Amino acid sequence: MWLELQIFGFRALWSPYFLLFVIALGMVYFLITGPYRHKFGGDEKPSKLQQGMFLLALVLLYAVKGAPTDLLSHMMLTAHMIQMAVYYLIFPILVIRSIPVWIWKKVIHAPFIQPAFRLLTKPLISLLLFNGLFSLYHIPAVFDFAKSTQIAHTSISLIILVAAFIVWWPILSPIKEMDSMRPVLKIGYIFANGVLITPACVLIIFADVPLFSAYSQNGAWLQALALCVPGDVLDGLAVQISGPEMFSPMSTLEDQQLGGIIMKIMQEITYGVILARVFFKWFTDESLKVDPMPADVQHSQ
């Protein structure tokens, strides 16, 4: 497969402009949280762990949105689902935990952000918002539309990304006054997330026909490829390439089914890790509580 992908050229495979964008994000982070933090009203530098998490977030961002995975996501639903799982489930977690609290407070308490943020991060609203948008995105007509133009693709991806940050906030908020959900409710919230995202995966896994024109029809597929392959390169290859199956060992239907399975598995693993974190923190906090000394013991002393 790798040799076949070479025909699309360096820009399509490695997205050098996106790489520069990711590097710029890293530089801004380390400048604002480091030598220039006092100019932005900051005091504490992020810990080494936070810095490492942000670097990992940038690596994963480039890996799924800039490296060959992005090109493959326009050929195979399997690659698309890996991209979605990392971009919407793992990347937001790393960013939320790696950015210092004082930056989050400045962003969230901004007059034009605070009212909307407080409304959208209410647990029921955030659950329905993210899972509703994710499911809507994978309705075939919406999915094919999202793959039709750069504006539609970028806009829809960013809207769902914002919803992904919002859905994680109630259980991962680094701001103490906004981390008010009880542990048992956080556990229920995570389970609800797993349930609500299931229908979209089930639809894809158990469909007996290819659902998405972007992977099954040559014209729609070429239109989707144009999102990451330069126009002059794609024009020269249009006659040579017959469709996505030319670059995949699986049929379109098998790829579709595997994509749904991968999405569900990665979702379960991610939610499982967060669930374990919430549970063990709850257990640790409870075990550290010291019961008050009984009154009769105090009097006897």
Side-chain angles (χ1 to χ4, degrees):
M1 179 189 294
W2 178 247
L3 292 177
E4 286 86 348
L5 290 176
Q6 300 297 316
I7 64 174
F8 293 103
F10 179 81
R11 282 175 58 192
L13 282 169
W14 298 105
S15 305
Y17 295 118
F18 188 75
L19 176 60
L20 292 176
F21 169 72
V22 171
I23 292 173
L25 284 180
M27 292 176 64
V28 169
Y29 173 84
F30 282 101
L31 288 174
I32 290 179
T33 62
Y36 294 100
R37 66 184 183 280
H38 299 298
K39 293 185 178 181
F40 294 92
D43 45 10
E44 294 184 6
K45 290 180 63 177
S47 66
K48 295 295 184 183
L49 176 60
Q50 286 180 302
Q51 293 176 345
M53 292 175 71
F54 193 81
L55 279 176
L56 178 59
L58 293 183
V59 170
L60 291 177
L61 177 63
Y62 176 70
V64 297
K65 297 295 285 185
T69 305
D70 187 48
L71 176 61
L72 284 171
S73 72
H74 298 293
M75 301 178 181
M76 302 170 62
L77 192 70
T78 302
H80 166 80
M81 286 303 190
I82 293 172
Q83 183 185 63
M84 294 295 98
V86 173
Y87 192 48
Y88 295 138
L89 299 181
I90 301 174
F91 175 71
I93 295 173
L94 294 172
V95 173
I96 288 173
R97 303 304 297 176
S98 62
I99 291 179
V101 174
W102 62 267
I103 294 181
W104 281 123
K105 286 183 176 180
K106 284 184 176 295
V107 172
I108 291 169
H109 293 163
F112 56 93
I113 292 179
Q114 188 173 18
F117 193 82
R118 287 194 175 275
L119 173 65
L120 294 176
T121 52
K122 291 183 181 299
L124 182 59
I125 294 176
S126 61
L127 277 173
L128 295 176
L129 179 66
F130 172 72
N131 291 289
L133 287 174
F134 185 86
S135 298
L136 181 65
Y137 175 57
H138 288 95
I139 292 174
V142 178
F143 186 90
D144 291 331
F145 171 73
K147 294 282 189 178
S148 63
T149 67
Q150 190 67 59
I151 292 176
H153 181 65
T154 302
S155 300
I156 292 173
S157 295
L158 289 177
I159 289 171
I160 300 176
L161 180 63
V162 171
F165 275 92
I166 289 172
V167 81
W168 283 120
W169 191 265
I171 54 175
L172 295 176
S173 173
I175 301 176
K176 289 184 179 180
E177 55 266 32
M178 297 187 75
D179 185 20
S180 58
M181 194 185 298
R182 292 167 54 196
V184 67
L185 294 179
K186 288 184 177 182
I187 292 172
Y189 181 89
I190 295 169
F191 274 112
N193 254 310
V195 171
L196 289 173
I197 206 172
T198 298
C201 297
V202 169
L203 172 69
I204 293 169
I205 293 169
F206 293 103
D208 55 4
V209 294
L211 296 174
F212 308 109
S213 298
Y215 296 112
S216 59
Q217 295 180 14
N218 198 42
W221 176 61
L222 288 174
Q223 194 173 36
L225 268 186
L227 298 175
C228 60
V229 180
D232 55 337
V233 175
L234 192 59
D235 290 341
L237 295 174
V239 180
Q240 304 176 37
I241 52 181
S242 56
E245 291 188 7
M246 178 179 174
F247 302 92
S248 171
M250 298 177 287
S251 68
T252 303
L253 184 58
E254 290 170 338
D255 169 58
Q256 179 175 285
Q257 293 168 340
L258 180 59
I261 292 170
I262 286 177
M263 182 65 202
K264 186 58 181 171
I265 290 174
M266 293 186 71
Q267 169 252 315
E268 293 288 352
I269 292 173
T270 305
Y271 289 171
V273 170
I274 299 301
L275 183 65
R277 176 186 177 275
V278 171
F279 179 80
F280 284 115
K281 185 177 186 301
W282 182 23
F283 179 80
T284 302
D285 290 345
E286 289 295 321
S287 65
L288 290 177
K289 289 181 180 178
V290 179
D291 293 332
M293 187 178 294
D296 55 344
V297 176
Q298 293 180 16
H299 290 313
S300 66
Q301 292 180 347

